[in-house]
Amino acid sequence: MKAIQLKNIALVSVVVLLGMGGCKPKNAASAVDAGAAAKAYVAPGKYDEFYNFVSGGFSGQMSVYGLPSGRLLRVIPVFSVDPEKGWGYSEETKPMLNTSHGFVPWDDLHHTELSQTNGEIDGRWIFANGNNTPRIARVDLSTFRTNEIIEIPNSAGNHSSPFITENTEYVVAGTRFSVPPDNVNGDVPINTYKKNFKGTISFVSVDKTSGNMKIAFQLLCPGVNFDLSHAGKGPSHDWMFFSCYNSEQANTLLEVNASQKDKDFILAVNWKKAEEYLAQGKAKKQSVKYAHNVYDEKTHSATSTIETEVQVLDVKDFPDIAYFIPCPKSPHGCDVDPTGEYIVGSGKLAALIPVFSYTKLQAAIAAKDFIGNFGGIPVVKYESALYGEVKKPGLGPLHTEFDGKGNAYTSFFVSSEIVKWNIKDLKVLDRVPTYYSIGHLCIPGGDSRKPNAKYVIAYNKITKDRYLPTGPELAQSAQLFDISGDKMQLILDFPTIGEPHYAQAVSADLIKTKSVKIFKIEDNFNPYVSKGEGQTKVVRTGNRVDVNMTAIRSHLAPDNIEGIKIGDEVYFHITNLEQDWDVPHGFAIKGSVNAELLIMPGETQTLKWVPDRVGMFPMYCTDFCSALHQEMSGYVRVSPAGSNTKLLFSTGKNLPAADSTGTK
Amino acid sequence: MKAIQLKNIALVSVVVLLGMGGCKPKNAASAVDAGAAAKAYVAPGKYDEFYNFVSGGFSGQMSVYGLPSGRLLRVIPVFSVDPEKGWGYSEETKPMLNTSHGFVPWDDLHHTELSQTNGEIDGRWIFANGNNTPRIARVDLSTFRTNEIIEIPNSAGNHSSPFITENTEYVVAGTRFSVPPDNVNGDVPINTYKKNFKGTISFVSVDKTSGNMKIAFQLLCPGVNFDLSHAGKGPSHDWMFFSCYNSEQANTLLEVNASQKDKDFILAVNWKKAEEYLAQGKAKKQSVKYAHNVYDEKTHSATSTIETEVQVLDVKDFPDIAYFIPCPKSPHGCDVDPTGEYIVGSGKLAALIPVFSYTKLQAAIAAKDFIGNFGGIPVVKYESALYGEVKKPGLGPLHTEFDGKGNAYTSFFVSSEIVKWNIKDLKVLDRVPTYYSIGHLCIPGGDSRKPNAKYVIAYNKITKDRYLPTGPELAQSAQLFDISGDKMQLILDFPTIGEPHYAQAVSADLIKTKSVKIFKIEDNFNPYVSKGEGQTKVVRTGNRVDVNMTAIRSHLAPDNIEGIKIGDEVYFHITNLEQDWDVPHGFAIKGSVNAELLIMPGETQTLKWVPDRVGMFPMYCTDFCSALHQEMSGYVRVSPAGSNTKLLFSTGKNLPAADSTGTK
């Protein structure tokens, strides 16, 4: 009992600290080096040195910053609708947000993960997880667009995702909120958690050429909360490591009930071994429903397919697939150093950092140096897998990145700081305060085999007094530190879009040269493309009206349309005929209960419009495209249902009134 | 004929220039002063000196930047849904986006306008226009939230809006795309434009205390394209000036057909005179339909009311309300200097800038120095109203702001530059290139009686090679120039969110001290508030289930809910019990075809959820709020329709399985 009381006291102190919204570091007014301005400044017209891909958290999107300037270059719509870009509103993009639950306009994007080849960032794709309705997205780094989203069945709270293996063989997805699997009756009392709730870990394969994702297999695991993950590297290439908390298997007031044990676990998964069982046909096929959405750059449109089967391996039936390693306390981050030898577990309620050795883990497994099992999975003896502990590094360690020079950088939420320590001797080398309550941190390539350790960036949860106040809601923020020297040097604070969680950065050279500037009009295979004004037309099929329209500086064609009637469903298929970079056109029509279209050069996008009243509806280009942009507009006349107004469309010809049968 | 040919040739040259996406200034590699970095740099933890409120253009939102750092402090949702904040998704905010057409998820926000007292910015509210489905919004600068949106009937393309009179008596709204008025049959041939299409100008009054808006009156005007506007000041206080193009009254291919005439107009409106006629009961009451949406900070919820009447004055029947002033060529910007004497018209196809004199205009009106009328409105003789012309200032002048020291700064889209000139002698004093194709520009207070002329900011339409490429879609951008000396000095390029049009800046001192930090829980009158966990409950009324829930670090109460059934509509009413700044909580539930809630301290927000399947649905806090944030979660059990699972809810107690009638 005494031990438990002590634990609870420790917990209370943490909670008290939390009540303060993270501690304010003592040297809050710490001096910024006089050279900091010059280091952060990128002169007008100059490029930043790094792309920084930052998760949008509860915005559901991904943002792209330049470093060192901290300038927001782009917000990429991923899991949430974006009326600005017509994302989720155009007919072409609606399927991207389809799920087995229907069209979902939002999700919670936590982690970004750049594709890798041989453990190094290759600049092809970046993946992202959706937490709430479990999904993984793939963004193409030539277009900076979300090209694929796959839903994850048998899961909930897809948090330990989309971490990646060294050759992008797989992105993974772990269940944060265990649930009854989809194939059993989930209508069970919540307090039957221990019996009925399971966590799955999904391995989603990535096609080497197209990048297309497929759920290769799922591992059925005991009901706990899988939290974060990282792949092995080099010698540990075949392994993936997942942290988990709530090994108490509590189902209510987790704040208290999932903080009871001294240690939870890191789950070490031998995915190569799982592949073998899969090849042997030992996985069980399970009927499920999940959406798989793919955007086709040739047709400029997406399709959503509901898939109906996954292959599941119950880990308790395959004892050499997975092993639990005890890890103090409520572990969050689970990070593997560039050599692949060291696995760092960050217990968010711990006051030390355990560093596990891949070599020792293998020896312990070989020797069956187990202290028992949890849910049928062997539990390796803590000391047998442990390389050593970083003692008293700070309070509330969350995440660790690496500089490739033998050093680790760990973020501490509760004590609001970054601590640099040496991996070999586990000694603390430096610490800097962060403002405030840092979550993730990022070194370019800092979770790969080849970090580019010029900067570390802190992503903080609280900004409070750091920026001009903006009412009750404040931006969350990032802080840029120069780590080229022995000591970390604060250079810049910059606010972020949404809620930054994990972020990755990469040298701009790897991406900037292959950025697509326009879509070639001759390669546009959208079924409603108009490859020139001569191909524009308005076609009625029952109450469906298709308007094949073009946009080019500075007019829409057609720009006068008559003969639309109440009850019609009108589809504006707009092709942007421009073939120059940075000349998008937009499209909107008055009173539409829809968003706009934002159409890139050479692209076709479609807006559905159901007119709600008789009258005259202006339409226009919404993107200031030229000095005569304000003139880029037109009219659609809407007549009553059953009227005999003729279908007419033209540009510049001025429809003859005699051809119309209007009332005036 | 010769004159027309010449005009068309001039037009062609402009179009050719446009084809280049704006000219690249000759000195594109212009040196940035060595001190620029220090001038733009705001050290970590330091506040910016100015708030810069920037329109989001086709994003429909408003963004708030700090100056001189160019850091994005906040995006305020206005006309477009924002799934991140639940804007347009929570039950409380849905009414804000209602219109006479129904719920509209998007608009095109072009102009920001800070409230004024005696012609000076007073820091109370900022207004914004919606172009596509004509509306005006009011944002409260203590909370940085949109508190009111009013729809404008009898109008389309609400562009010349929401410019403001000196004491915020009115914000105005002018029709960019003339249409048949709402009370006539609009089912007319488009080519009857000259006969049937009208432009209205609306004067929307603003309550001095509450800020609440009301359409005071509308002026029925000839069918043209009203474009921009500014109020008189001091001596010209009673007047409002509106630019218009398309006095050709073309209805197709405006690029050519609305660019025929040498001069279009500025419309000078004597709104005091209009008030008199209104008081005399001379306005016609017209039946219309428009939405008026108000957010109540006491209940934390909005209501939408459909209004049914406006009062209209047909200007041709009241010859002393309005006068046209000829203005070359296709005028866009219409700006009034701080003294109120000079009105600057910027013809986007003109190669000079006319400056009109308020004094001369009044004399010309008194002398009836008219050259005829247009649509029944007297046209003042150009020379009689003209103070003088700025000769050869650049190509494609768009907008002018003022420094309060007798100088004007005009943006030139086609020649991509800002030109500084003296108002008295009309001489050009300085010019700087912009990168590229500048639209609006902004000096803090630069359209008020009291500019704070430290900076001018250029808002550019094209960025092309200025930032790291991000695929076909690039950010638009701003450039900050120091104008404290005689010559403009470029300090910083920073990309912007959405499409920046007009922007205003104000000294931070005017706003930062009155920023609301939390909503007091005792002042929360939301009907579903829980002012403590003791007030939480789950109540079934037929198939409607109301969950009165609380969020406080680090748990939801209740966090276990059973007895929800298929066919139910569940309303989660979440009160954030925190009373500290910067401790929001978020809320989401798996598979919901809805967004999240983001709930500020002391606030209640409601998410509607219709479960789509039987099973177990995790819910959680989406905003990383504490070290135990990951534990802030719970479960909702959904049973089949007609099942007899008992309604149960609890936190930490663990529901007794015996009370449930689950199948296991």
Side-chain angles (χ1 to χ4, degrees):
Chain A
M1 270 309 286
K2 200 181 169 192
I4 287 171
Q5 280 170 342
L6 278 174
K7 268 177 260 163
N8 282 347
I9 288 164
L11 175 64
V12 167
S13 353
V14 170
V15 172
V16 168
L17 284 168
L18 301 177
M20 301 161 60
C23 309
K24 192 155 180 166
K26 279 174 192 162
N27 54 341
S30 72
V32 172
D33 185 270
K39 284 185 179 178
Y41 186 69
V42 176
K46 299 292 184 193
Y47 281 1
D48 276 287
E49 189 181 351
F50 293 91
Y51 286 97
N52 188 198
F53 296 94
V54 183
S55 74
F58 52 53
S59 83
Q61 318 295 42
M62 191 187 294
S63 50
V64 186
Y65 290 82
L67 295 178
S69 73
R71 298 183 296 190
L72 176 59
L73 303 176
R74 178 84 186 274
V75 177
I76 302 171
V78 184
F79 293 117
S80 296
V81 296
D82 185 349
E84 170 185 336
K85 298 175 176 30
W87 181 253
Y89 291 98
S90 72
E91 295 304 300
E92 284 80 359
T93 60
K94 276 180 187 171
M96 290 302 285
L97 300 184
N98 192 41
T99 72
S100 67
H101 300 273
F103 181 90
V104 173
W106 171 87
D107 213 316
D108 185 15
L109 187 162
H110 274 223
H111 308 120
T112 55
E113 186 79 340
L114 287 153
S115 58
Q116 296 186 1
T117 300
N118 295 325
E120 296 182 25
I121 295 167
D122 60 22
R124 302 175 73 191
W125 308 300
I126 186 162
F127 297 86
N129 65 319
N131 268 345
N132 187 50
T133 301
R135 285 173 287 174
I136 297 176
R138 178 174 56 84
V139 172
D140 189 300
L141 290 177
S142 66
T143 59
F144 285 67
R145 288 200 181 189
T146 304
N147 272 6
E148 190 178 7
I149 293 180
I150 193 165
E151 192 179 355
I152 309 293
N154 285 327
S155 186
N158 177 39
H159 196 263
S160 47
S161 178
F163 300 96
I164 204 165
T165 55
E166 279 193 295
N167 287 296
T168 314
E169 295 95 336
Y170 297 106
V171 291
V172 300
T175 301
R176 178 155 65 125
F177 303 129
S178 286
V179 284
D182 293 359
N183 65 335
V184 303
N185 185 349
D187 179 25
V188 295
I190 300 170
N191 72 357
T192 64
Y193 182 105
K194 289 187 174 72
K195 176 181 170 195
N196 291 318
F197 288 41
K198 301 289 176 190
T200 60
I201 286 172
S202 302
F203 281 75
V204 178
S205 64
V206 179
D207 183 86
K208 276 187 199 310
T209 308
S210 66
N212 278 355
M213 296 185 283
K214 188 183 168 207
I215 300 178
F217 58 90
Q218 293 191 310
L219 302 179
L220 191 68
C221 299
V224 291
N225 294 43
F226 289 105
D227 207 17
L228 281 154
S229 171
H230 264 103
K233 300 179 178 77
S236 56
H237 171 266
D238 299 355
W239 292 74
M240 196 92 197
F241 304 92
F242 297 83
S243 63
C244 67
Y245 62 99
N246 192 22
S247 57
E248 296 86 350
Q249 300 189 302
N251 56 273
T252 182
L253 203 63
L254 267 58
E255 170 187 22
V256 174
N257 296 324
S259 305
Q260 298 301 311
K261 289 190 178 175
D262 266 344
K263 292 192 178 68
D264 295 283
F265 298 118
I266 286 175
L267 181 69
V269 173
N270 185 334
W271 54 265
K272 279 280 186 189
K273 190 64 77 178
E275 278 182 344
E276 287 171 22
Y277 290 122
L278 191 72
Q280 292 162 17
K282 295 197 172 164
K284 286 191 181 143
K285 289 183 179 169
Q286 183 188 323
S287 287
V288 287
K289 269 178 65 183
Y290 62 99
H292 184 200
N293 312 328
V294 179
Y295 197 83
D296 180 344
E297 290 289 4
K298 287 204 170 61
T299 60
H300 299 292
S301 54
T303 50
S304 176
T305 307
I306 297 294
E307 305 282 354
T308 56
E309 192 179 83
V310 282
Q311 300 204 71
V312 180
L313 290 161
D314 189 335
V315 288
K316 73 177 182 324
D317 301 332
F318 302 94
D320 54 357
I321 288 180
Y323 303 88
F324 277 123
I325 311 169
C327 183
K329 177 173 183 169
S330 299
H332 189 60
C334 178
D335 301 290
V336 180
D337 92 312
T339 70
E341 168 63 14
Y342 301 103
I343 302 111
V344 179
S346 295
K348 64 198 179 208
L349 300 179
L352 58 80
I353 303 172
V355 179
F356 300 100
S357 155
Y358 174 72
T359 309
K360 288 187 71 177
L361 172 67
Q362 292 307 309
I365 290 170
K368 296 196 187 301
D369 195 1
F370 304 143
I371 57 168
N373 77 81
F374 182 85
I377 299 177
V379 179
V380 174
K381 192 178 175 193
Y382 176 70
E383 292 75 10
S384 301
L386 188 72
Y387 172 72
E389 292 169 343
V390 185
K391 303 288 188 189
K392 297 191 180 172
L395 197 52
L398 291 191
H399 303 280
T400 301
E401 294 251 306
F402 305 92
D403 66 3
K405 304 170 190 168
N407 303 309
Y409 294 72
T410 300
S411 60
F412 289 80
F413 179 87
V414 177
S415 53
S416 276
E417 58 188 331
I418 297 176
V419 174
K420 175 182 177 181
W421 50 276
N422 182 274
I423 301 172
K424 282 283 172 204
D425 67 15
L426 306 174
K427 295 279 190 264
V428 169
L429 302 172
D430 189 25
R431 59 178 68 236
V432 288
T434 58
Y435 306 90
Y436 305 95
S437 300
I438 180 174
H440 281 268
L441 76 177
C442 158
I443 290 172
D447 79 337
S448 77
R449 287 176 77 167
K450 201 174 176 182
N452 182 343
K454 186 160 182 179
Y455 303 112
V456 65
I457 310 105
Y459 299 93
N460 304 320
K461 299 304 177 189
I462 293 173
T463 52
K464 222 156 213 169
D465 55 4
R466 299 292 285 180
Y467 301 101
L468 283 175
T470 56
E473 190 180 341
L474 304 174
Q476 298 191 22
S477 120
Q479 294 186 281
L480 180 71
F481 297 84
D482 180 345
I483 57 168
S484 57
D486 286 345
K487 298 291 179 185
M488 294 175 271
Q489 181 205 351
L490 177 59
I491 295 176
L492 184 71
D493 270 36
F494 61 99
T496 59
I497 280 281
E499 184 205 17
H501 287 267
Y502 192 40
Q504 294 198 320
V506 59
S507 169
D509 294 333
L510 202 59
I511 291 175
K512 69 182 180 195
T513 53
K514 62 183 182 191
S515 201
V516 168
K517 295 182 175 177
I518 61 162
F519 298 111
K520 287 184 188 159
I521 190 80
E522 63 265 30
D523 295 343
N524 181 330
F525 291 95
N526 186 294
Y528 298 99
V529 64
S530 305
K531 295 194 179 183
E533 287 184 22
Q535 295 182 14
T536 61
K537 59 186 176 184
V538 180
V539 178
R540 171 182 290 284
T541 314
N543 74 330
R544 177 183 169 116
V545 179
D546 288 284
V547 179
N548 290 18
M549 184 183 278
T550 57
I552 192 165
R553 284 164 291 179
S554 295
H555 62 277
L556 300 165
D559 70 358
N560 279 201
I561 300 171
E562 304 201 348
I564 306 299
K565 297 168 195 172
I566 293 297
D568 284 350
E569 295 189 343
V570 183
Y571 293 83
F572 293 99
H573 312 284
I574 322 244
T575 301
N576 179 347
L577 292 178
E578 310 283 352
Q579 291 284 272
D580 273 348
W581 199 21
D582 204 8
V583 194
H585 290 290
F587 179 80
I589 186 160
K590 183 189 171 186
S592 170
V593 294
N594 205 337
E596 70 160 356
L597 296 175
L598 197 57
I599 316 144
M600 296 302 124
E603 189 182 33
T604 302
Q605 289 284 289
T606 299
L607 188 81
K608 182 182 176 182
W609 174 56
V610 181
D612 72 317
R613 63 185 68 171
V614 168
M616 198 59 63
F617 289 81
M619 57 187 173
Y620 70 105
C621 172
T622 56
D623 191 348
F624 207 103
C625 56
S626 74
L628 291 167
H629 160 75
Q630 294 288 87
E631 281 73 5
M632 193 165 173
S633 62
Y635 289 102
V636 180
R637 171 187 176 185
V638 176
S639 299
S643 89
N644 57 357
T645 309
K646 268 182 73 177
L647 196 65
L648 290 174
F649 58 95
S650 66
T651 318
K653 286 179 184 160
N654 222 358
L655 300 173
D659 285 3
S660 291
T661 56
T663 54
K664 287 197 179 183
Chain B
M1 269 309 287
K2 203 181 163 190
I4 288 170
Q5 279 170 341
L6 278 173
K7 267 176 258 162
N8 281 345
I9 288 164
L11 175 63
V12 166
S13 350
V14 170
V15 171
V16 167
L17 284 168
L18 301 176
M20 300 161 59
C23 310
K24 192 155 182 168
K26 279 173 194 162
N27 53 342
S30 71
V32 173
D33 185 270
K39 285 185 177 176
Y41 186 69
V42 176
K46 299 292 182 193
Y47 280 1
D48 276 286
E49 188 182 351
F50 292 92
Y51 286 97
N52 187 197
F53 297 94
V54 183
S55 74
F58 52 52
S59 83
Q61 318 295 43
M62 191 187 294
S63 50
V64 186
Y65 289 83
L67 296 179
S69 73
R71 298 183 295 190
L72 176 60
L73 304 176
R74 177 85 186 275
V75 176
I76 303 171
V78 183
F79 294 116
S80 297
V81 297
D82 185 348
E84 170 185 335
K85 298 175 175 30
W87 181 252
Y89 290 98
S90 71
E91 295 304 300
E92 284 79 0
T93 60
K94 276 181 187 171
M96 290 302 285
L97 300 184
N98 191 40
T99 72
S100 66
H101 300 272
F103 181 90
V104 172
W106 171 87
D107 213 316
D108 185 14
L109 187 162
H110 275 223
H111 308 120
T112 55
E113 187 79 341
L114 287 153
S115 58
Q116 296 186 3
T117 300
N118 296 325
E120 295 181 25
I121 295 168
D122 60 22
R124 302 176 73 191
W125 308 300
I126 186 162
F127 297 85
N129 65 319
N131 268 343
N132 187 50
T133 300
R135 285 173 286 174
I136 297 176
R138 180 174 54 85
V139 172
D140 190 301
L141 290 177
S142 65
T143 59
F144 285 66
R145 288 200 181 189
T146 303
N147 271 7
E148 189 178 8
I149 293 180
I150 193 164
E151 192 180 356
I152 310 293
N154 286 326
S155 187
N158 177 40
H159 196 264
S160 46
S161 177
F163 300 96
I164 206 164
T165 54
E166 280 192 295
N167 287 298
T168 314
E169 295 96 336
Y170 297 105
V171 290
V172 299
T175 302
R176 178 155 64 125
F177 303 129
S178 285
V179 284
D182 293 0
N183 63 335
V184 302
N185 184 349
D187 180 24
V188 295
I190 300 169
N191 72 357
T192 65
Y193 183 105
K194 288 187 175 73
K195 177 184 169 192
N196 289 318
F197 287 42
K198 300 289 177 191
T200 61
I201 287 174
S202 302
F203 281 75
V204 178
S205 64
V206 179
D207 184 87
K208 276 187 199 309
T209 308
S210 66
N212 279 355
M213 295 184 282
K214 188 184 168 205
I215 299 178
F217 59 90
Q218 293 191 309
L219 302 179
L220 191 68
C221 299
V224 290
N225 293 44
F226 290 105
D227 207 17
L228 281 153
S229 170
H230 264 104
K233 299 179 178 78
S236 56
H237 171 268
D238 298 355
W239 292 73
M240 195 92 196
F241 304 93
F242 296 84
S243 63
C244 68
Y245 62 100
N246 193 22
S247 57
E248 296 87 348
Q249 301 191 301
N251 57 273
T252 183
L253 204 62
L254 266 57
E255 170 186 21
V256 174
N257 296 324
S259 305
Q260 299 301 311
K261 289 190 179 176
D262 265 345
K263 292 191 177 70
D264 295 282
F265 299 117
I266 285 175
L267 182 70
V269 173
N270 184 334
W271 55 265
K272 279 279 184 188
K273 190 64 75 175
E275 279 182 342
E276 287 172 22
Y277 289 122
L278 191 73
Q280 293 161 17
K282 294 197 173 164
K284 286 190 180 144
K285 290 183 177 169
Q286 183 188 323
S287 286
V288 287
K289 270 178 66 182
Y290 63 98
H292 184 200
N293 311 329
V294 178
Y295 197 85
D296 180 344
E297 290 289 5
K298 288 205 169 61
T299 60
H300 298 293
S301 55
T303 50
S304 177
T305 307
I306 297 294
E307 305 283 355
T308 57
E309 192 179 83
V310 282
Q311 301 205 69
V312 180
L313 291 160
D314 188 335
V315 287
K316 73 176 181 322
D317 301 334
F318 302 93
D320 53 356
I321 287 180
Y323 303 88
F324 276 125
I325 311 168
C327 183
K329 177 175 182 171
S330 298
H332 189 60
C334 178
D335 301 292
V336 180
D337 91 312
T339 69
E341 168 63 12
Y342 301 103
I343 303 111
V344 179
S346 295
K348 65 198 179 208
L349 300 180
L352 58 79
I353 303 172
V355 179
F356 299 101
S357 154
Y358 173 71
T359 309
K360 288 187 70 177
L361 172 67
Q362 292 306 310
I365 289 170
K368 296 196 187 302
D369 194 3
F370 303 142
I371 57 168
N373 79 81
F374 182 86
I377 300 177
V379 179
V380 173
K381 192 178 173 191
Y382 176 69
E383 291 76 11
S384 301
L386 188 72
Y387 172 71
E389 293 170 342
V390 184
K391 303 288 187 186
K392 296 188 180 173
L395 197 53
L398 292 191
H399 302 281
T400 300
E401 294 251 305
F402 305 92
D403 66 4
K405 303 170 190 168
N407 303 310
Y409 295 72
T410 301
S411 60
F412 288 81
F413 179 86
V414 178
S415 53
S416 276
E417 58 188 332
I418 296 175
V419 174
K420 175 182 177 182
W421 49 278
N422 182 274
I423 301 171
K424 283 280 174 204
D425 66 14
L426 306 175
K427 295 277 190 268
V428 169
L429 302 172
D430 189 23
R431 59 178 67 236
V432 289
T434 58
Y435 305 89
Y436 306 96
S437 302
I438 179 174
H440 281 268
L441 76 178
C442 157
I443 290 172
D447 80 337
S448 76
R449 287 176 78 165
K450 201 173 177 182
N452 183 342
K454 186 161 183 181
Y455 302 113
V456 65
I457 308 105
Y459 299 94
N460 304 319
K461 299 303 176 188
I462 294 174
T463 52
K464 221 157 216 169
D465 56 3
R466 300 292 286 181
Y467 302 101
L468 283 174
T470 55
E473 190 181 341
L474 304 174
Q476 298 191 23
S477 118
Q479 293 186 283
L480 180 71
F481 296 85
D482 180 345
I483 57 168
S484 57
D486 285 344
K487 299 291 179 185
M488 294 176 269
Q489 183 204 349
L490 178 59
I491 295 176
L492 184 71
D493 271 33
F494 61 98
T496 59
I497 281 281
E499 184 206 18
H501 288 268
Y502 192 41
Q504 295 197 319
V506 58
S507 168
D509 295 333
L510 203 59
I511 291 175
K512 70 182 181 194
T513 53
K514 62 183 182 191
S515 203
V516 167
K517 295 182 176 176
I518 61 162
F519 298 111
K520 288 184 188 159
I521 190 81
E522 62 264 31
D523 295 341
N524 180 331
F525 291 95
N526 187 293
Y528 298 99
V529 63
S530 305
K531 295 194 178 183
E533 287 184 25
Q535 295 182 14
T536 61
K537 59 185 175 184
V538 180
V539 178
R540 170 180 291 283
T541 315
N543 74 332
R544 177 184 169 117
V545 179
D546 288 285
V547 180
N548 290 17
M549 184 182 279
T550 57
I552 192 165
R553 284 165 293 182
S554 297
H555 61 276
L556 300 166
D559 71 357
N560 278 203
I561 300 172
E562 303 200 349
I564 306 299
K565 297 169 195 172
I566 294 295
D568 285 349
E569 294 189 345
V570 183
Y571 293 82
F572 294 99
H573 312 284
I574 324 247
T575 300
N576 179 346
L577 292 177
E578 309 283 352
Q579 292 285 269
D580 274 347
W581 199 22
D582 204 9
V583 194
H585 289 291
F587 178 80
I589 185 159
K590 184 189 171 186
S592 170
V593 293
N594 205 336
E596 70 160 356
L597 296 176
L598 197 57
I599 315 144
M600 296 302 124
E603 189 182 33
T604 302
Q605 290 283 288
T606 300
L607 188 82
K608 181 181 176 182
W609 174 56
V610 182
D612 72 319
R613 63 186 66 172
V614 168
M616 199 58 66
F617 289 82
M619 57 186 173
Y620 69 106
C621 172
T622 56
D623 191 348
F624 208 104
C625 56
S626 74
L628 292 167
H629 160 75
Q630 294 290 84
E631 281 74 3
M632 192 165 174
S633 62
Y635 289 102
V636 180
R637 171 187 177 185
V638 176
S639 299
S643 89
N644 57 359
T645 309
K646 266 182 74 175
L647 196 66
L648 291 173
F649 58 95
S650 66
T651 317
K653 286 180 184 160
N654 223 357
L655 300 173
D659 285 2
S660 292
T661 55
T663 53
K664 287 197 179 186

